[in-house]
Amino acid sequence: MNSDMIIRITKYYRILNRLRSLGLEKVFAHNLADAAGVSAALVRKDFSLLEIYGQKRGGYEIPDLLEHLGRILGKTEEPQNVIIVGCGRIGKALMHYNGFEPDGIRIVAGFDSDPLIYSDSTHPVPVYPISRLEEVTSTFDVQVAIITVPESATSDSFHRLMQVGIRGILNFSPITLKPIKLEDGTSPVVHNMNIALELEQIFYKLQFPKTEPAK
Amino acid sequence: MNSDMIIRITKYYRILNRLRSLGLEKVFAHNLADAAGVSAALVRKDFSLLEIYGQKRGGYEIPDLLEHLGRILGKTEEPQNVIIVGCGRIGKALMHYNGFEPDGIRIVAGFDSDPLIYSDSTHPVPVYPISRLEEVTSTFDVQVAIITVPESATSDSFHRLMQVGIRGILNFSPITLKPIKLEDGTSPVVHNMNIALELEQIFYKLQFPKTEPAK
DNA sequence: TCTTTTATGTGAAAAATAATACAATAAATA
DNA sequence: TATTTATTGTATTATTTTTCACATAAAAGA
């Protein structure tokens, strides 16, 4: 399964969740396609590849789809625990964000090197000094970290996280982190979210508007 | 030029900027390739398509590349002005972020519907009530907005921005905005940054590690 | 019951994207 | 100067991804 397909699957999952909460029970490929911004053929092809089948002329059962896709995406009863490394403004904003819960994601702790920050007990989740990284991640069985440290600390934080066994990184710093190969032969999963880079892409696209994709 | 290529071009641009600030004057395709995480052949192919030429065996001149790519990306002397709609925690964090300036991006104003927020004058950039959107965007010739409002306000904010002529959107809310076609036949450029969606993709990839791409 | 309609599921075709291979060429070296 | 080496530029090939087209099936309507 390639990267674009993973994105589509996660989108389908969220759309289906929303449809279910609206009380719907069935969905057609073209409904999902419209909502996800892809073609109906692609939706059917994706499901076919994942061995998810609907009823001819009857569409797909939403609970069935959610069950299948949820398993593929590793959804369990228990939420997946995540930590935030770097509790500056962005890190704190993410701690307060309450949109993770419905998706089965839980921020369990923050980390910072500044005593003024980790001594402050008004955060919505506990904030620890970096020295307690290993202890906390093993206690909560954390596999994924969000990096929101300043540019200069990015690389250090990344290596530290690798050392304590974190295997998934969502990096908000403008330094692009690359999934270097680890001693054990595996590579971490790294997603970089670079806001300035996104804006630059938008500026480019505005400069050269795409010509109408001939229906 | 497709989306992946735009991403590559923006990456090349940043890498080249960094190399220049390190005092380098020339670069080989494979240097850029390594830094950007792509193959050298692809770098050469990209430049070839953009009609940027280097010297056989001599590599590419960094100032020349920056000039070319900068023009393609719409870089000018003047920074590109951006507004932030929704001055909650994330919006405020972005206002304070000082990593935009080196990339020629300037946050010129924030907007919020809450008087407690727009009356507070301690923000790093002026914050206005939504009613002044049109006035401010035309004064600063703003084409792009960052949406950081709560989920429930996302769709409204989006349509409001379309009405006042904003054509580029970077959306941080979990509602995926789609570039609906406008009356004038054009479509806005919309990039959605959905943090939970990114995390979900990471969880998936951790569950099914990619098998070693056979060198 | 028979016909029509509306979806799915999928093989085949097309389109898009990237890698390969190598000629061309310029610099370095002998 | 001749030879070797290193790198660009691009035609060709390979791969990946998506769309097309249609057989299949189920429901609805006549």
Side-chain angles (χ1 to χ4, degrees), chain A residues 64-92:
Chain A
D64 184 47
L65 281 175
L66 280 169
E67 204 271 322
H68 269 91
L69 297 181
R71 193 161 44 219
I72 289 164
L73 293 174
K75 297 282 174 194
T76 55
E77 289 298 307
E78 279 299 294
Q80 275 153 319
N81 293 336
V82 173
I83 56 171
I84 291 179
V85 178
C87 300
R89 292 177 200 276
I90 296 182
K92 268 187 248 170

Tab-separated table of all heavy atoms in Angstrom, chain A residues 64-92:
chain	number	residue	atom	x	y	z
A	64	ASP	N	-19.525	-2.026	8.523
A	64	ASP	CA	-18.602	-3.020	7.980
A	64	ASP	C	-17.319	-2.348	7.491
A	64	ASP	O	-16.205	-2.774	7.806
A	64	ASP	CB	-19.315	-3.738	6.836
A	64	ASP	CG	-18.483	-4.849	6.261
A	64	ASP	OD1	-17.934	-5.642	7.054
A	64	ASP	OD2	-18.353	-4.915	5.018
A	65	LEU	N	-17.495	-1.267	6.741
A	65	LEU	CA	-16.330	-0.526	6.252
A	65	LEU	C	-15.493	-0.006	7.405
A	65	LEU	O	-14.258	-0.113	7.401
A	65	LEU	CB	-16.789	0.666	5.405
A	65	LEU	CG	-17.215	0.382	3.971
A	65	LEU	CD1	-17.751	1.651	3.330
A	65	LEU	CD2	-16.023	-0.138	3.179
A	66	LEU	N	-16.162	0.561	8.403
A	66	LEU	CA	-15.431	1.134	9.535
A	66	LEU	C	-14.643	0.059	10.266
A	66	LEU	O	-13.511	0.287	10.703
A	66	LEU	CB	-16.406	1.822	10.497
A	66	LEU	CG	-16.844	3.221	10.074
A	66	LEU	CD1	-18.004	3.713	10.921
A	66	LEU	CD2	-15.670	4.204	10.168
A	67	GLU	N	-15.270	-1.103	10.349
A	67	GLU	CA	-14.607	-2.184	11.062
A	67	GLU	C	-13.333	-2.593	10.310
A	67	GLU	O	-12.249	-2.686	10.881
A	67	GLU	CB	-15.590	-3.357	11.185
A	67	GLU	CG	-15.311	-4.307	12.326
A	67	GLU	CD	-14.375	-5.398	11.880
A	67	GLU	OE1	-14.506	-5.868	10.724
A	67	GLU	OE2	-13.493	-5.761	12.678
A	68	HIS	N	-13.495	-2.815	9.011
A	68	HIS	CA	-12.348	-3.202	8.181
A	68	HIS	C	-11.245	-2.143	8.188
A	68	HIS	O	-10.084	-2.432	8.457
A	68	HIS	CB	-12.807	-3.407	6.733
A	68	HIS	CG	-13.218	-4.804	6.420
A	68	HIS	ND1	-14.517	-5.238	6.546
A	68	HIS	CD2	-12.507	-5.862	5.983
A	68	HIS	CE1	-14.582	-6.512	6.195
A	68	HIS	NE2	-13.384	-6.910	5.852
A	69	LEU	N	-11.645	-0.918	7.859
A	69	LEU	CA	-10.641	0.151	7.751
A	69	LEU	C	-10.008	0.431	9.107
A	69	LEU	O	-8.809	0.690	9.198
A	69	LEU	CB	-11.282	1.429	7.194
A	69	LEU	CG	-11.852	1.312	5.782
A	69	LEU	CD1	-12.447	2.649	5.331
A	69	LEU	CD2	-10.780	0.859	4.794
A	70	GLY	N	-10.823	0.368	10.166
A	70	GLY	CA	-10.297	0.583	11.504
A	70	GLY	C	-9.210	-0.425	11.832
A	70	GLY	O	-8.169	-0.072	12.390
A	71	ARG	N	-9.440	-1.662	11.447
A	71	ARG	CA	-8.429	-2.677	11.735
A	71	ARG	C	-7.160	-2.388	10.934
A	71	ARG	O	-6.053	-2.472	11.452
A	71	ARG	CB	-8.969	-4.070	11.410
A	71	ARG	CG	-8.077	-5.158	11.992
A	71	ARG	CD	-8.797	-6.483	12.082
A	71	ARG	NE	-9.552	-6.739	10.869
A	71	ARG	CZ	-10.754	-7.303	10.838
A	71	ARG	NH1	-11.330	-7.685	11.948
A	71	ARG	NH2	-11.365	-7.512	9.693
A	72	ILE	N	-7.349	-2.011	9.683
A	72	ILE	CA	-6.192	-1.699	8.847
A	72	ILE	C	-5.402	-0.531	9.424
A	72	ILE	O	-4.176	-0.525	9.405
A	72	ILE	CB	-6.659	-1.384	7.408
A	72	ILE	CG1	-7.134	-2.671	6.738
A	72	ILE	CG2	-5.541	-0.743	6.602
A	72	ILE	CD1	-7.960	-2.451	5.497
A	73	LEU	N	-6.113	0.441	9.961
A	73	LEU	CA	-5.436	1.621	10.505
A	73	LEU	C	-4.953	1.400	11.938
A	73	LEU	O	-4.416	2.306	12.568
A	73	LEU	CB	-6.370	2.837	10.460
A	73	LEU	CG	-6.720	3.328	9.056
A	73	LEU	CD1	-7.758	4.429	9.118
A	73	LEU	CD2	-5.473	3.830	8.343
A	74	GLY	N	-5.151	0.214	12.455
A	74	GLY	CA	-4.652	-0.087	13.788
A	74	GLY	C	-5.469	0.515	14.906
A	74	GLY	O	-4.965	0.751	15.998
A	75	LYS	N	-6.741	0.787	14.645
A	75	LYS	CA	-7.606	1.344	15.690
A	75	LYS	C	-7.965	0.255	16.685
A	75	LYS	O	-8.340	-0.856	16.295
A	75	LYS	CB	-8.909	1.860	15.069
A	75	LYS	CG	-8.717	2.979	14.104
A	75	LYS	CD	-8.501	4.273	14.846
A	75	LYS	CE	-8.152	5.364	13.851
A	75	LYS	NZ	-7.624	6.551	14.514
A	76	THR	N	-7.856	0.617	17.962
A	76	THR	CA	-8.239	-0.335	19.000
A	76	THR	C	-9.148	0.377	19.996
A	76	THR	O	-9.388	1.572	19.885
A	76	THR	CB	-7.005	-0.865	19.744
A	76	THR	OG1	-6.283	0.259	20.236
A	76	THR	CG2	-6.113	-1.686	18.830
A	77	GLU	N	-9.597	-0.367	20.966
A	77	GLU	CA	-10.375	0.242	22.046
A	77	GLU	C	-9.535	1.291	22.759
A	77	GLU	O	-9.966	2.404	23.001
A	77	GLU	CB	-10.787	-0.832	23.065
A	77	GLU	CG	-11.843	-1.799	22.574
A	77	GLU	CD	-13.147	-1.101	22.250
A	77	GLU	OE1	-13.665	-0.379	23.114
A	77	GLU	OE2	-13.637	-1.272	21.105
A	78	GLU	N	-8.313	0.891	23.060
A	78	GLU	CA	-7.392	1.785	23.744
A	78	GLU	C	-6.887	2.872	22.807
A	78	GLU	O	-6.521	2.581	21.670
A	78	GLU	CB	-6.181	0.977	24.237
A	78	GLU	CG	-6.435	0.249	25.528
A	78	GLU	CD	-6.779	1.204	26.657
A	78	GLU	OE1	-5.912	1.992	27.039
A	78	GLU	OE2	-7.931	1.151	27.149
A	79	PRO	N	-6.849	4.130	23.286
A	79	PRO	CA	-6.294	5.173	22.424
A	79	PRO	C	-4.789	4.979	22.242
A	79	PRO	O	-4.135	4.297	23.036
A	79	PRO	CB	-6.579	6.458	23.205
A	79	PRO	CG	-6.797	6.037	24.600
A	79	PRO	CD	-7.331	4.644	24.564
A	80	GLN	N	-4.285	5.564	21.186
A	80	GLN	CA	-2.848	5.492	20.955
A	80	GLN	C	-2.170	6.701	21.597
A	80	GLN	O	-2.579	7.836	21.399
A	80	GLN	CB	-2.585	5.447	19.444
A	80	GLN	CG	-2.676	4.011	18.926
A	80	GLN	CD	-3.072	3.927	17.485
A	80	GLN	OE1	-3.941	4.652	17.033
A	80	GLN	NE2	-2.430	3.037	16.759
A	81	ASN	N	-1.148	6.415	22.392
A	81	ASN	CA	-0.516	7.470	23.175
A	81	ASN	C	0.583	8.189	22.409
A	81	ASN	O	1.404	7.559	21.736
A	81	ASN	CB	0.069	6.881	24.455
A	81	ASN	CG	-1.022	6.384	25.392
A	81	ASN	OD1	-2.160	6.859	25.321
A	81	ASN	ND2	-0.682	5.448	26.259
A	82	VAL	N	0.595	9.489	22.571
A	82	VAL	CA	1.554	10.336	21.865
A	82	VAL	C	2.130	11.340	22.848
A	82	VAL	O	1.440	11.755	23.782
A	82	VAL	CB	0.838	11.079	20.708
A	82	VAL	CG1	1.749	12.093	20.044
A	82	VAL	CG2	0.293	10.101	19.688
A	83	ILE	N	3.394	11.701	22.666
A	83	ILE	CA	3.982	12.759	23.501
A	83	ILE	C	4.334	13.968	22.637
A	83	ILE	O	4.455	13.855	21.418
A	83	ILE	CB	5.251	12.290	24.229
A	83	ILE	CG1	6.272	11.759	23.209
A	83	ILE	CG2	4.918	11.232	25.270
A	83	ILE	CD1	7.632	11.478	23.803
A	84	ILE	N	4.480	15.093	23.314
A	84	ILE	CA	4.856	16.328	22.631
A	84	ILE	C	6.206	16.773	23.159
A	84	ILE	O	6.378	16.965	24.370
A	84	ILE	CB	3.804	17.424	22.866
A	84	ILE	CG1	2.516	17.036	22.138
A	84	ILE	CG2	4.308	18.779	22.383
A	84	ILE	CD1	1.383	18.017	22.308
A	85	VAL	N	7.158	16.903	22.275
A	85	VAL	CA	8.500	17.309	22.684
A	85	VAL	C	8.704	18.752	22.266
A	85	VAL	O	8.724	19.070	21.078
A	85	VAL	CB	9.556	16.398	22.044
A	85	VAL	CG1	10.957	16.852	22.420
A	85	VAL	CG2	9.323	14.957	22.481
A	86	GLY	N	8.831	19.620	23.254
A	86	GLY	CA	8.919	21.055	22.994
A	86	GLY	C	7.603	21.716	23.334
A	86	GLY	O	6.636	21.590	22.600
A	87	CYS	N	7.550	22.382	24.478
A	87	CYS	CA	6.274	22.934	24.938
A	87	CYS	C	6.253	24.448	24.828
A	87	CYS	O	5.900	25.151	25.769
A	87	CYS	CB	5.983	22.458	26.351
A	87	CYS	SG	5.881	20.664	26.432
A	88	GLY	N	6.663	24.937	23.685
A	88	GLY	CA	6.502	26.358	23.372
A	88	GLY	C	5.065	26.595	22.971
A	88	GLY	O	4.171	25.823	23.312
A	89	ARG	N	4.843	27.677	22.245
A	89	ARG	CA	3.464	28.028	21.915
A	89	ARG	C	2.752	26.944	21.111
A	89	ARG	O	1.604	26.605	21.386
A	89	ARG	CB	3.430	29.321	21.115
A	89	ARG	CG	3.848	30.524	21.938
A	89	ARG	CD	3.876	31.761	21.074
A	89	ARG	NE	4.693	32.803	21.688
A	89	ARG	CZ	4.221	33.642	22.607
A	89	ARG	NH1	2.982	33.566	23.004
A	89	ARG	NH2	5.019	34.557	23.141
A	90	ILE	N	3.445	26.414	20.120
A	90	ILE	CA	2.765	25.418	19.284
A	90	ILE	C	2.523	24.131	20.066
A	90	ILE	O	1.438	23.563	20.040
A	90	ILE	CB	3.562	25.131	17.988
A	90	ILE	CG1	3.621	26.405	17.137
A	90	ILE	CG2	2.897	24.004	17.186
A	90	ILE	CD1	4.323	26.253	15.830
A	91	GLY	N	3.538	23.696	20.778
A	91	GLY	CA	3.379	22.492	21.579
A	91	GLY	C	2.224	22.618	22.562
A	91	GLY	O	1.392	21.722	22.696
A	92	LYS	N	2.171	23.771	23.244
A	92	LYS	CA	1.086	23.979	24.200
A	92	LYS	C	-0.271	23.993	23.506
A	92	LYS	O	-1.254	23.439	24.010
A	92	LYS	CB	1.304	25.297	24.958
A	92	LYS	CG	2.090	25.097	26.250
A	92	LYS	CD	2.129	26.389	27.056
A	92	LYS	CE	3.544	26.932	27.089
A	92	LYS	NZ	3.683	28.280	27.625
